[in-house]
């Protein structure tokens, strides 16, 4: 049986589907991920550090100039549009089949596609605040500032409301994600290498026989999945929604 048909079979009758997404769902919107061959890891050559170091709390404090050079060039993609994977998930929510998208992404594309129940584990490029006084800023302010963006009120450094390496995840969002995944009848894991913790550990909260992984490369959770599809998330989700009778 074709893989997508098997997925549709597993999802037949499921009304509490949850999606868990990573950078791989946005590569078809031309936002590079971290770990594909042409992903952001190639930037190690340019900066001399891997993304996990540049995007860490201590690196941000010590070298905000390098942090922002990397961040603006690699993680801010205001021109990016949702692709078929984002659109399919939004359509599944509207059809009453999908209860939540738990995402590691910070690009806002699930909301741009029309998803409303989105749990952003790692924050969003669209929210920013002064690290000194807390004043909030739009993305435009960060993107338009040459170099390190500074607070108009106190001169402090503005930082993105994203979870940096060495920082804790928002505990409320994390426990909401746990309860959504524990209560789901199918967990659709899409476009994530499942190596970044604690986010990746959320997959352990999914009941047996309920895990479907759609990822172009292998993951450490493949042997726990009822079905693994190694293909493009956009194509798989377009076909899957079609088989479910949902138009995107
Ligand atoms: P990752 O570690 O870069 O893994 C991405 C995975 O997706 C890889 O295993 C790829 O094989 C796979 N992949 C790539 N393209 C596709 C595709 N079209 N269809 C299916 N699979 C594909 O990214 P993770 O999300 O697992 O790592 C977590 C980090 C990356 C999070 O903290 C994110 O904030 C961070 N990140 C986010 C973005 C974004 O918001 N778009 C971009 C880059 C990095």
């Amino acid at each position: 049986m074709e893989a997508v048909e098997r997925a549709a079979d597993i999802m037949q009758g499921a009304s509490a589907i949850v999606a868990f997404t990573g950078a791989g769902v946005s590569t078809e919107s031309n936002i590079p991920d971290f770990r594909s061959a042409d992903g952001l890891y190639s930037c190690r050559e340019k900066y001399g550090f891997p993304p996990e170091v540049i995007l860490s709390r201590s690196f941000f404090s010590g070298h905000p100039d390098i942090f922002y050079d990397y961040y603006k060039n690699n993680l801010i993609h205001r021109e990016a549009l949702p692709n078929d994977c984002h659109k399919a998930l939004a359509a599944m929510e509207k059809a009453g089949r999908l209860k939540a998208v738990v995402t590691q992404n910070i690009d806002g594309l699930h909301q741009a596609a029309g998803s409303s129940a989105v749990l952003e584990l790692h924050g969003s490029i669209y929210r920013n605040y002064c690290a000194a006084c807390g004043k909030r800023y739009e993305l435009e302010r960060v993107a338009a500032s040459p170099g390190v963006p500074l607070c108009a009120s106190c001169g402090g450094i503005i930082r993105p409301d994203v979870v940096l390496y060495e920082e804790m995840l928002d505990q409320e969002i994390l426990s909401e994600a746990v309860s959504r995944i524990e209560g789901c009848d199918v967990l659709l894991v899409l476009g994530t290498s499942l190596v970044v913790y604690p986010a990746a550990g959320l997959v352990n909260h999914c009941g047996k026989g309920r895990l479907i992984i759609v990822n172009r490369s292998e993951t450490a959770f493949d042997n726990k999945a009822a079905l693994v599809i190694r293909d493009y998330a956009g194509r798989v989700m377009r076909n899957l929604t079609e088989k479910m009778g949902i138009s995107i």
Side-chain angles (χ1 to χ4, degrees), residues 123-136:
S124 169
I125 59 168
Y126 288 97
R127 296 186 299 270
N128 299 274
Y129 61 92
C130 172
C133 74
K135 186 175 161 66
R136 299 234 146 230

Side-chain angles (χ1 to χ4, degrees), residues 23-87:
V25 302
S26 294
T27 56
E28 290 164 74
S29 298
N30 296 320
I31 301 180
D33 62 7
F34 278 178
R35 287 174 187 86
S36 293
D38 57 350
L40 300 181
Y41 269 71
S42 56
C43 286
R44 195 194 293 246
E45 282 174 29
K46 177 172 174 194
Y47 293 94
F49 301 100
E52 289 102 329
V53 173
I54 299 177
L55 296 173
S56 68
R57 172 61 177 256
S58 49
F59 196 91
F60 176 75
S61 303
H63 311 277
D65 47 342
I66 304 176
F67 171 91
Y68 266 114
D69 188 73
Y70 174 84
Y71 179 79
K72 287 184 198 172
N73 285 317
N74 293 283
L75 287 162
I76 299 182
H77 295 269
R78 283 180 298 169
E79 74 296 344
L81 295 171
N83 62 51
D84 283 348
C85 179
H86 302 105
K87 290 178 194 168

Side-chain angles (χ1 to χ4, degrees), residues 5 23-24 39 86 90 113 137-138 143 175 182 196-197 216 230 238:
E5 268 168 31
H86 302 105
Y137 288 94
E138 306 279 312
S175 46
E182 280 176 351
V196 176
Y197 280 79
R216 289 197 62 208
R230 277 203 225 301
R238 188 173 57 243

Side-chain angles (χ1 to χ4, degrees), residues 58-218:
S58 49
F59 196 91
F60 176 75
S61 303
H63 311 277
D65 47 342
I66 304 176
F67 171 91
Y68 266 114
D69 188 73
Y70 174 84
Y71 179 79
K72 287 184 198 172
N73 285 317
N74 293 283
L75 287 162
I76 299 182
H77 295 269
R78 283 180 298 169
E79 74 296 344
L81 295 171
N83 62 51
D84 283 348
C85 179
H86 302 105
K87 290 178 194 168
L89 293 173
M92 282 169 60
E93 181 189 313
K94 281 199 183 68
R97 305 288 300 277
L98 183 132
K99 293 295 174 226
V101 176
V102 178
T103 189
Q104 299 165 87
N105 293 346
I106 57 176
D107 57 28
L109 288 182
H110 287 300
Q111 293 91 333
S115 285
S116 56
V118 182
L119 296 170
E120 294 177 314
L121 294 171
H122 294 160
S124 169
I125 59 168
Y126 288 97
R127 296 186 299 270
N128 299 274
Y129 61 92
C130 172
C133 74
K135 186 175 161 66
R136 299 234 146 230
Y137 288 94
E138 306 279 312
L139 173 61
E140 281 58 39
R141 171 60 189 260
V142 170
S145 310
V148 179
L150 299 176
C151 179
S153 299
C154 76
I157 294 179
I158 298 172
R159 62 159 288 176
D161 191 2
V162 301
V163 179
L164 300 176
Y165 289 90
E166 301 167 356
E167 291 182 330
M168 299 250 298
L169 268 58
D170 180 308
Q171 293 305 297
E172 260 180 48
I173 295 176
L174 191 59
S175 46
E176 171 78 14
V178 168
S179 90
R180 289 294 189 174
I181 291 171
E182 280 176 351
C184 77
D185 39 28
V186 173
L187 181 67
L188 257 180
V189 171
L190 300 158
T192 168
S193 59
L194 295 174
V195 299
V196 176
Y197 280 79
L202 285 171
V203 175
N204 288 321
H205 292 275
C206 167
K208 213 170 178 305
R210 296 175 179 185
L211 177 62
I212 299 177
I213 297 179
V214 181
N215 200 60
R216 289 197 62 208
S217 53
E218 153 185 350

